[in-house]
Amino acid sequence: MKLYLSTPLSNFSKYLPHLVEHCVWHSVLDPNHYFDFSYGLDGVVTPEYTCFEYDKWVSIDSILKYLTEPISKEAFDYELPIIQEECEDSTYDQRIYQESLTLLLKKKFDLNSASGLSWEAVKKYHEKYYQLENFLICDDTLSEYKLLFQGEKL
């Protein structure tokens, strides 16, 4: 199963959406829910969207509940150094994407820039984009994708 969420760049950077994805993941993995989600949910962030892949034994309602619940400051404090390390080295594909955007937009930027990043920015981004109206859920275990949920804004 795949859950897609529109998570646009922030200040021409994917740093904030990536950090929010990590904070959500960290918040979900509290001791009470660790075994429910640790092997059943994985997130991938691109410059256009975030995709959470999860096993079909995890209910849609559970996934939506945990992704939309407020994230914790503890998660932010824990994940910030991890993301800083991850974003120090761009992938080959990311460098091509970044250079292509630079040519198209005629503006130099860094997809991994952390400028303007704060706990408040992370909370606001999560509150704005991690809403039911922004989710799209598909069953990709079939030969064709089956739409299971579509938010109002999609």
Side-chain angles (χ1 to χ4, degrees), residues 5 17-18 22 24 60 71 92 96-97 101 110 142 146 154:
L5 174 62
H18 193 174
H22 272 243
V24 166
I60 291 174
I71 55 180
Y92 178 73
I96 290 173
Y97 183 83
L101 284 178
D110 180 1
L142 308 170
K146 178 181 177 186
L154 302 175

Side-chain angles (χ1 to χ4, degrees), residues 7-23 45-47 76 79-88 94 110-118 122 125:
T7 49
L9 299 175
S10 176
N11 296 324
F12 292 99
S13 172
K14 72 172 193 158
Y15 196 99
L16 182 57
H18 193 174
L19 179 56
V20 171
E21 178 257 334
H22 272 243
C23 289
V45 177
T46 73
F76 172 79
E79 294 294 338
L80 184 59
I82 294 169
I83 293 295
Q84 287 171 331
E85 185 175 322
E86 278 186 24
C87 289
E88 284 177 2
Q94 184 176 330
D110 180 1
L111 285 172
N112 286 337
S113 170
S115 66
L117 191 61
S118 68
V122 167
Y125 192 93

